[in-house]
Amino acid sequence: MSGMDESLRPEKSRITIFNEPINCQFCSNDVFTPYEVIVNVEQPGIGVRHVRYVAICQYCGKAKHFGDPSYYDVEKDNYIWALNQSLLSIKKYKIKIIFFVGKRKQEKVTIFLNSLIQNFKAEVENIKDYKGEVLLQIKFSNSNDKQAVRSMIMGCARRLKINVKEITIK
Ligand SMILES: [Zn+2]
């Protein structure tokens, strides 16, 4: 992977610093939208780039701060670019989840539904409740792959102690 000599674009992406992927320290996901931040630097040294970024984790919304440690290698007479960004394409997903919440747990269903709507900007296509077994169909667009989407939904369910019987992602 080669580095790049331009600023990171404020788009959903995975970012590496010297080929090391950056991860969120709160949820360990690796998809961020980076924004360049302006810092006041008095008399910056020649050949030193004072670029700073704040990258927003696209899963939990926490911010990660980092600089651009690119440097000029005198011996190789070459600039060593530190940052690399791979932009993610947005995919459309249709999801079917069957889960149990037991009796009198309507508020759990509501919380689960709200967190899916909030996290994924999901659109609810169908929801049916058969005495505690709920069938939920949602759709949304997301830049993560199927596996990541699945584990995000499962994590969401786990936190709410929702027992997922089946999950289909298309
Ligand atoms: Zn995060």
Side-chain angles (χ1 to χ4, degrees):
M1 230 188 305
S2 66
M4 45 189 264
D5 60 355
E6 51 186 77
S7 298
L8 299 179
R9 283 156 64 176
E11 291 178 41
K12 274 188 185 180
S13 51
R14 292 198 168 85
I15 300 158
T16 58
I17 303 177
F18 293 124
N19 294 335
E20 284 291 317
I22 67 166
N23 287 86
C24 176
Q25 67 251 53
F26 298 96
C27 72
S28 76
N29 271 272
D30 62 355
V31 177
F32 295 89
T33 300
Y35 300 93
E36 213 173 309
V37 287
I38 308 299
V39 283
N40 285 325
V41 180
E42 285 177 39
Q43 296 181 315
I46 293 162
V48 178
R49 287 155 54 94
H50 289 277
V51 178
R52 303 281 314 165
Y53 288 99
V54 55
I56 307 301
C57 170
Q58 294 304 290
Y59 180 52
C60 76
K62 294 277 183 359
K64 186 155 183 109
H65 298 262
F66 56 92
D68 181 354
S70 297
Y71 63 95
Y72 182 73
D73 186 323
V74 182
E75 278 181 19
K76 289 183 184 141
D77 190 22
N78 200 359
Y79 219 94
I80 310 299
W81 301 110
L83 300 177
N84 197 285
Q85 178 178 39
S86 48
L87 300 177
L88 299 173
S89 54
I90 306 294
K91 298 174 208 67
K92 283 187 178 160
Y93 290 112
K94 274 178 175 284
I95 314 232
K96 189 173 91 178
I97 311 167
I98 298 172
F99 58 94
F100 298 106
V101 284
K103 285 179 187 167
R104 299 171 64 201
K105 296 285 172 64
Q106 189 52 47
E107 71 274 21
K108 244 189 198 183
V109 176
T110 308
I111 295 167
F112 186 43
L113 203 54
N114 284 344
S115 80
L116 293 175
I117 291 169
Q118 212 171 38
N119 283 322
F120 298 102
K121 301 201 175 22
E123 215 176 291
V124 178
E125 292 195 301
N126 193 8
I127 179 158
K128 279 183 190 149
D129 188 341
Y130 304 99
K131 292 177 184 169
E133 183 175 320
V134 184
L135 165 77
L136 172 63
Q137 283 173 288
I138 55 172
K139 62 174 182 182
F140 56 79
S141 300
N142 198 277
S143 57
N144 290 293
D145 60 19
K146 256 186 204 177
Q147 199 53 44
V149 163
R150 175 184 295 267
S151 66
M152 283 152 79
I153 293 172
M154 292 306 282
C156 206
R158 211 163 31 239
R159 277 194 295 280
L160 294 169
K161 298 190 167 56
I162 281 171
N163 186 3
V164 176
K165 182 186 172 191
E166 196 184 308
I167 173 166
T168 324
I169 302 179
K170 278 183 191 163

